[in-house]
Amino acid sequence: MHAFRTHTCGDLRKAHVGQNVRLSGWVHRRRDHGGLVFLDLRDHYGLTQCVVEPDSPAFALADAARQEWVVTVTGPVVARPAETVNEALPSGEVEVRIETFAVQSRAEELPLQVFGDIEYPEETRLKYRFLDLRREALHRNIILRSNIIASLRRRMIAEGFTEFQTPILTASSPEGARDFLVPSRLHPGKFYALPQAPQQFKQLIMVAGFDRYFQIAPCFRDEDARADRSPGEFYQLDLEMSFVTQDDVFTAVEPVLHGLFEEFADGRSVSPLPFKRIPYAEAMLKYGSDKPDLRLPPTMDIIDVTAEFNDPSVEFKAFKNVIAQGGVVRAIPAPGAAAQPRSFFDKLNDWARSEMKAAGLGYVVFEADGGKGPIAKFIPDPVQKALIAKAKLKPGDALFFAADKPEKAAKLAGAARLKIGAELGLKAVPYYDFHFCWIIDFPMYEWNEDEKKIDFSHNPFSMPQFDHDAFLKLTGEDKDTVLGIKAFQYDIVCNGIELSSGAIRNHLPDVMIKAFDLAGYGREVVEAKFGGMLNAFRYGAPPHGGTAPGIDRMVMLLAGEENLREVTMFPMNQRAEDLMMGAPSDVTPKQLRELHIRIVPPEKG
RNA sequence: GGGGGCGUAGCUCAGUUGGUUAGAGUGUCGGCCUGUCACGCCGAAGGUCGCGGGUUCGAGCCCCGUCGCUCCCGCCA
């Protein structure tokens, strides 16, 4: 007989009755009836009830066992009496009668119970992650994560993609997030950077003549965390393809994501292929966001009502002043909101003022006999009718108004749309639990108001949607033209979460240098910082493009969790500390000397 | 860097208007119990009320500071 087990704790069924078996696992739960002790034994595979009676030679040992001890039991599988069958347990028809009992390892009093579903503070859960991982919910999520990654690999390979590894120690890059730096021992004063993404490498893989690359790629960014954003490190399904248009990328990626979500939907619905494509400008107007949640009904689509409020007959000064200063008024329809109490509207206004730092969130309730609410009296009947027509309102619907500079108004309207939709419990018809869309035609540049300069608005490596020769002739003088340029840049969005960002890349050195030039980076800077890739483009670069869906976020969606730590095996806390391993940590003076590093502690404020 | 919330037994939490010896559940330890599966019953141990200062006759509770955790904003091409 094997030293530890002949079966797992998830194996035993009625068919095993009579066999002598050996199980090893953790003592999940102990029920002591004096003369009779039940031990639920747990391993990765399941739970099996074991029982020991006083006349058993193993009784004293087994009776002493406590929660989370690791033990090995040996004995016959017996059928449980009919009235004691546990239907909640797959092995519930049988139990193991303990004849010999061995303790493999004991457990101290637990800081966190494995049994049950008590909620524990993050600090405890992270410090004792190995205990938390034993618990059912987290254990299940981590297995789900593994299955999702395995499925992605299968699907990508089936689509003709090949997985390649790219370096973890690479060069720091100027744009984008803050790099994690690794000091070089051999080159005093110089640093490697951990890759924010294998962006340049995957493009170089295309230049190198490979095609259809993918990787479950670790990415590192030294930025602050959020519930849906791990500090430090995360994983992407990184992919890149040669000789493709934007549509080819979509066609390659859609079935992978759709198939994945269908596979793990577990009864939930997935929006059908092809995913809706929404230009950035339209998304910002209709949803107030570049990551719209399409689970809300189209009757809640935001509309621009600047013209209506600018009509001479409207006497509402607050909005008129905003418009006079270049602002806009956006209206968020709230279907059926007339049934809500006054407090519903007041709370939303308070929310807009406190959390969104807005001047307020005005509203009009359109009853059958006319508009109601604090600002309705400033809006004459013809304009009210125009608003009703434009927003396609029915009696009993309301409109909320966000008035501000275009970006701020869009942002407030977008947040209000989500909040109102959630409060009213409104759902699109047909409703999909996972509602995907592509956001396309992102602007190439944006105006940086603080520094009064043109910035890349997204990815400096994407191809502008602009005539090649005309683009090369652009200068900083053509500000409006430059700010109007769209890029072959796209995002995949699901349920209001940005899953991935991608682009058809700029593979032409002259366009790339001009693109950086327009954002205020001289040729020297581009040569110095992206010389490797730029140089590669001078030796025959194929047109190429790709994207990189965030794996952690996909797992989060499919697991139905709202925090990445619930789907990450060993996460750090929000301050980027590993409480279990004690990272980051001090290092020895010797280590620092070897790296030519001296610590200059921050001055205490 | 900024804002909100939280911090009481190993763990999860309660603790009234500032008022006697700070409680419950769970876990731990001891006793009883032969069919439980959140077993049950009896008992015990277990507390720097995060830390420091202040107000007060009296502080878990009020005030100030500080530390930790968490959520959000900034940030995340």
Side-chain angles (χ1 to χ4, degrees):
Chain A
M1 192 177 263
H2 189 270
F4 298 120
R5 63 183 176 197
T6 58
H7 298 76
T8 73
C9 297
D11 281 340
L12 299 180
R13 298 290 183 274
K14 218 163 191 170
H16 296 90
V17 169
Q19 290 185 29
N20 207 42
V21 301
R22 179 167 289 167
L23 300 179
S24 285
W26 287 262
V27 176
H28 189 62
R29 195 79 176 145
R30 178 176 172 276
R31 289 177 296 280
D32 180 359
H33 289 248
L36 186 68
V37 176
F38 295 100
L39 297 177
D40 291 338
L41 205 59
R42 183 196 74 242
D43 65 10
H44 173 69
Y45 306 94
L47 210 61
T48 300
Q49 174 167 287
C50 305
V51 61
V52 65
E53 297 184 29
D55 54 357
S56 165
F59 182 82
L61 266 177
D63 185 46
R66 290 294 178 270
Q67 282 189 89
E68 297 307 307
W69 287 24
V70 177
V71 303
T72 300
V73 306
T74 313
V77 180
V78 300
R80 296 203 205 177
E83 66 276 14
T84 66
V85 165
N86 185 350
E87 288 178 11
L89 213 59
S91 66
E93 286 191 297
V94 299
E95 62 195 7
V96 174
R97 197 141 297 186
I98 301 171
E99 286 183 348
T100 59
F101 190 89
V103 176
Q104 304 296 352
S105 123
R106 290 160 196 264
E108 294 180 11
E109 194 173 336
L110 300 165
L112 176 159
Q113 285 207 75
V114 175
F115 169 80
D117 53 1
I118 300 171
E119 285 187 37
Y120 291 94
E122 286 287 339
E123 192 177 2
T124 307
R125 296 183 57 196
L126 292 174
K127 186 169 181 190
Y128 299 96
R129 190 64 170 179
F130 47 89
L131 290 179
D132 201 12
L133 284 164
R134 285 182 200 168
R135 307 209 308 161
E136 196 183 347
L138 201 48
H139 207 86
R140 190 178 348 106
N141 283 353
I142 298 300
I143 293 300
L144 173 69
R145 181 190 180 103
S146 175
N147 291 338
I148 285 171
I149 289 173
S151 174
L152 283 172
R153 280 211 165 89
R154 264 198 315 275
R155 291 171 188 280
M156 293 303 286
I157 291 166
E159 293 256 343
F161 286 83
T162 314
E163 183 163 17
F164 300 113
Q165 273 79 54
T166 51
I168 300 298
L169 293 176
T170 180
S172 180
S173 69
E175 287 285 313
R178 196 176 292 118
D179 283 319
F180 272 105
L181 298 176
V182 179
S184 164
R185 176 178 58 84
L186 294 174
H187 302 278
K190 296 195 175 182
F191 292 82
Y192 302 93
L194 306 184
Q196 296 180 21
Q199 180 66 36
Q200 293 185 65
F201 286 111
K202 69 174 174 178
Q203 294 192 236
L204 287 161
I205 290 170
M206 295 302 103
V207 178
F210 297 96
D211 201 344
R212 293 172 90 90
Y213 143 90
F214 86 100
Q215 180 179 198
I216 309 296
C219 305
F220 305 91
R221 296 177 191 176
D222 189 3
E223 295 292 350
D224 290 348
R226 287 287 181 280
D228 64 348
R229 199 169 79 209
S230 292
E233 55 187 69
F234 60 97
Y235 283 82
Q236 291 181 340
L237 171 63
D238 196 40
L239 66 99
E240 197 75 4
M241 316 157 71
S242 283
F243 305 113
V244 289
T245 63
Q246 180 169 289
D247 277 341
D248 294 326
V249 176
F250 292 1
T251 307
V253 171
E254 281 185 346
V256 173
L257 293 190
H258 186 263
L260 177 84
F261 273 73
E262 290 263 302
E263 180 180 350
F264 294 98
D266 195 22
R268 293 165 291 181
S269 53
V270 185
S271 56
L273 294 175
F275 299 150
K276 190 173 183 181
R277 293 162 199 196
I278 306 169
Y280 172 85
E282 183 186 331
M284 292 309 289
L285 176 61
K286 281 168 73 171
Y287 311 110
S289 166
D290 60 359
K291 40 186 179 185
D293 190 338
L294 297 182
R295 292 175 301 175
L296 292 176
T299 50
M300 289 196 68
D301 285 358
I302 298 160
I303 52 169
D304 188 286
V305 293
T306 311
E308 283 73 10
F309 274 90
N310 210 23
D311 190 275
S313 68
V314 176
E315 293 168 34
F316 194 46
K317 292 257 171 43
F319 285 9
K320 288 237 149 141
N321 290 341
V322 170
I323 296 167
Q325 287 166 33
V328 296
V329 183
R330 298 281 159 80
I332 309 102
Q340 297 296 319
R342 171 67 188 254
S343 62
F344 169 80
F345 299 92
D346 290 343
K347 264 191 231 160
L348 280 162
N349 192 45
D350 292 345
W351 161 83
R353 293 166 68 96
S354 64
E355 283 190 48
M356 299 301 292
K357 312 277 184 248
L361 196 66
Y363 66 91
V364 174
V365 182
F366 294 94
E367 307 274 18
D369 59 343
K372 302 278 160 58
I375 66 170
K377 59 178 176 290
F378 300 109
I379 310 166
D381 204 43
V383 177
Q384 289 198 14
K385 290 215 161 60
L387 288 171
I388 290 169
K390 195 162 190 179
K392 301 187 182 69
L393 299 185
K394 295 197 290 285
D397 293 352
L399 277 183
F400 284 86
F401 300 104
D404 210 322
K405 294 273 161 52
E407 292 98 64
K408 284 190 175 175
K411 192 177 175 192
L412 173 60
R417 171 179 172 269
L418 294 178
K419 196 160 180 73
I420 294 164
E423 298 264 337
L424 296 176
L426 297 174
K427 291 180 171 186
V429 180
Y431 178 84
Y432 302 107
D433 296 300
F434 298 111
H435 204 144
F436 284 87
C437 63
W438 294 94
I439 306 299
I440 58 172
D441 299 339
F442 275 81
M444 183 89 184
Y445 298 101
E446 65 190 16
W447 183 246
N448 183 330
E449 188 57 41
D450 295 336
E451 297 174 36
K452 306 287 179 201
K453 69 180 276 277
I454 291 170
D455 270 352
F456 286 111
S457 76
H458 229 80
N459 186 323
F461 305 114
S462 45
M463 184 67 102
Q465 298 185 24
F466 211 77
D467 177 75
H468 175 260
D469 294 338
F471 186 78
L472 295 184
K473 292 192 183 106
L474 291 172
T475 70
E477 304 292 303
D478 306 305
K479 182 181 152 190
D480 290 341
T481 308
V482 170
L483 288 174
I485 296 175
K486 290 167 185 147
F488 284 110
Q489 165 82 44
Y490 39 82
D491 282 359
I492 295 178
V493 172
C494 179
N495 297 357
I497 294 173
E498 180 194 318
L499 279 188
S500 87
S501 187
I504 296 300
R505 318 298 173 185
N506 178 355
H507 67 289
L508 303 171
D510 52 356
V511 176
M512 190 165 160
I513 285 168
K514 173 54 75 176
F516 274 91
D517 174 49
L518 291 172
Y521 298 94
R523 173 185 287 262
E524 342 59 76
V525 178
V526 188
E527 295 281 0
K529 292 298 182 183
F530 304 104
M533 199 167 70
L534 198 57
N535 199 34
F537 289 169
R538 295 188 170 113
Y539 294 91
H544 60 284
T547 188
I551 291 189
D552 311 80
R553 286 185 180 173
M554 288 194 278
V555 178
M556 208 164 107
L557 278 171
L558 285 167
E561 297 286 0
E562 301 207 335
N563 193 304
L564 278 173
R565 286 188 290 262
E566 304 299 333
V567 297
T568 307
M569 206 155 194
F570 297 113
M572 295 197 282
N573 68 6
Q574 193 168 13
R575 297 185 57 205
E577 297 164 317
D578 181 336
L579 297 176
M580 189 173 57
M581 302 300 282
S585 63
D586 293 322
V587 296
T588 63
K590 177 166 179 279
Q591 286 173 299
L592 289 175
R593 271 198 306 279
E594 281 182 341
L595 294 167
H596 327 287
I597 296 265
R598 185 171 297 142
I599 305 294
V600 183
E603 289 175 31
K604 294 255 170 166

